[in-house]
Amino acid sequence: MPSTIVMTGASRGIGRVAVERIVHAAPQAHLVVAARGSTGARLAAELGAGGHRVSHVPVDLDSLDSVRSAADEIRSRLDLGELPPLHGFVGNAGIQYTNALTEGPDGFESTFTVNVLANHLFIRLLEDRFRTPSRIVITVSDTHFGDFRHNLGMVPGPVWRSADVLARPGAFSEPGTTAAGRTAYSTSKLAAIHLLHEYARRLPDGIYAIGFNPGFVPGTDLARNAGRVSRFAMRRVLPVLTRTPFATSRAAAGRHLADVVLGATAAPTGAYVDRDRVARSSEESYDPPREAELWDAVERLIAPYAA
């Protein structure tokens, strides 16, 4: 069945592996790559060279104005019949900074903007264009557990604050440190899981919202804003761990992501998929009162861009 799948974070890492699998496994799908101008255009051209249906919408995920413009373009193309019906959204893009002070053009802290607000705004602006069955897949992280077993002690666990605090620079102690930047990351991933539970409650039947955890995947550009030594370790040293149960290769993680997007990995709405199977996320991630509070706050934060 012809369908449109919109995806962020498709140009590198596990996303690049996933999109190649998606376009080959679902030849009738039209993949819309939402990415920065030259990067997205180049990726669309490369993937489309084999006859696959791939196009590009420019977006800077650190700018909610840019997200709004990208969603408007997608809506317009759907309404004009230039794209087949919308059946999927994949929020795979993510960022981790070396501090908790990085501020985007809207005045929001950039980790929270890219990992939480941008996805939420995309979903809300496209919500009435989804046709059932549809899958919304958000890449989350087992760093939200905050224990050694899930991240080898490399990332501090989440430190929950109200969304109004998390969305602004300086939400954590010693905000200029790498530890604060990594805390911002794990906390943003916890927030994303909380919102997935709300999507499961609020979205119409037939629109599935699923969180995908790729596990620890060294060799990606997630930590591209880290220092030189950390980047070297992520790209050259830590990939050795993919030979152990502690890490996942890019190829395996990308394959697992594609399988969730395409429905080859069965999962109910609101589920947390740990690599290739449904699992429980952390106990802290199941908190309906906090989830409802977060929903209300995030709705308020994106309101100027969603009107």
Side-chain angles (χ1 to χ4, degrees):
M1 177 179 66
S3 62
T4 292
I5 300 172
V6 177
M7 183 170 179
T8 70
S11 62
R12 63 183 80 194
I14 68 173
R16 179 57 189 263
V17 176
V19 293
E20 292 180 358
R21 184 174 177 88
I22 289 168
V23 297
H24 284 90
Q28 293 191 61
H30 186 121
L31 180 67
V32 177
V33 176
R36 293 180 183 271
S38 60
T39 300
R42 183 169 58 251
L43 176 60
E46 291 173 2
L47 293 173
H52 304 294
R53 299 176 176 88
V54 185
S55 59
H56 165 239
V57 170
V59 68
D60 174 3
L61 295 172
D62 199 20
S63 165
L64 297 185
D65 275 325
S66 181
V67 173
R68 173 60 194 249
S69 295
D72 283 347
E73 180 175 339
I74 294 167
R75 288 166 60 94
S76 177
R77 292 176 62 190
L78 288 165
D79 294 346
L80 292 171
E82 296 175 4
L83 293 172
L86 180 62
H87 285 272
F89 174 81
V90 188
N92 179 61
I95 195 68
Q96 178 180 299
Y97 287 94
T98 56
N99 59 66
L101 294 170
T102 305
E103 184 175 318
D106 306 310
F108 298 124
E109 193 275 323
S110 292
T111 311
F112 198 78
T113 302
V114 174
N115 297 353
V116 180
L117 297 179
N119 285 328
H120 188 67
L121 182 57
F122 251 131
I123 291 166
R124 295 293 278 155
L125 291 174
L126 296 177
E127 181 178 336
D128 62 353
R129 297 303 195 274
F130 284 110
R131 298 295 175 261
T132 57
S134 286
R135 282 198 162 202
I136 294 168
V137 179
I138 306 297
T139 299
V140 291
S141 169
D142 53 9
T143 60
H144 84 279
F145 280 89
D147 57 18
F148 185 86
R149 183 169 74 87
H150 287 91
N151 62 56
L152 303 179
M154 293 185 288
V155 180
V159 177
W160 191 254
R161 305 276 192 264
S162 71
D164 292 292
V165 173
L166 294 174
R168 303 294 177 180
F172 307 101
S173 61
E174 300 184 18
T177 64
T178 298
R182 291 176 178 171
T183 301
Y185 176 79
S186 62
T187 306
S188 74
K189 294 302 183 178
L190 175 60
I193 296 172
H194 283 328
L195 286 176
L196 280 161
H197 295 159
E198 283 297 297
Y199 297 143
R201 297 183 185 104
R202 295 171 184 263
L203 291 175
D205 291 343
I207 301 178
Y208 297 81
I210 299 165
F212 167 70
N213 167 48
F216 173 51
V217 187
T220 70
D221 282 334
L222 172 64
R224 55 189 175 273
N225 293 290
R228 184 171 58 183
V229 173
S230 294
R231 293 199 308 271
F232 178 82
M234 282 292 289
R235 293 173 180 171
R236 303 297 183 187
V237 180
L238 294 178
V240 174
L241 290 176
T242 59
R243 301 172 187 171
T244 75
F246 293 110
T248 310
S249 70
R250 279 185 295 175
R255 182 176 70 252
H256 295 329
L257 172 57
D259 288 346
V260 174
V261 173
L262 296 173
T265 298
T269 188
Y272 175 82
V273 176
D274 182 10
R275 285 160 276 206
D276 61 352
R277 65 198 65 188
V278 174
R280 279 188 66 82
S281 49
S282 71
E283 291 306 312
E284 184 181 6
S285 72
Y286 299 95
D287 190 332
R290 181 193 285 180
E291 290 159 1
E293 181 181 347
L294 175 64
W295 177 277
D296 291 341
V298 169
E299 286 283 286
R300 178 167 31 80
L301 291 171
I302 69 164
Y305 311 92

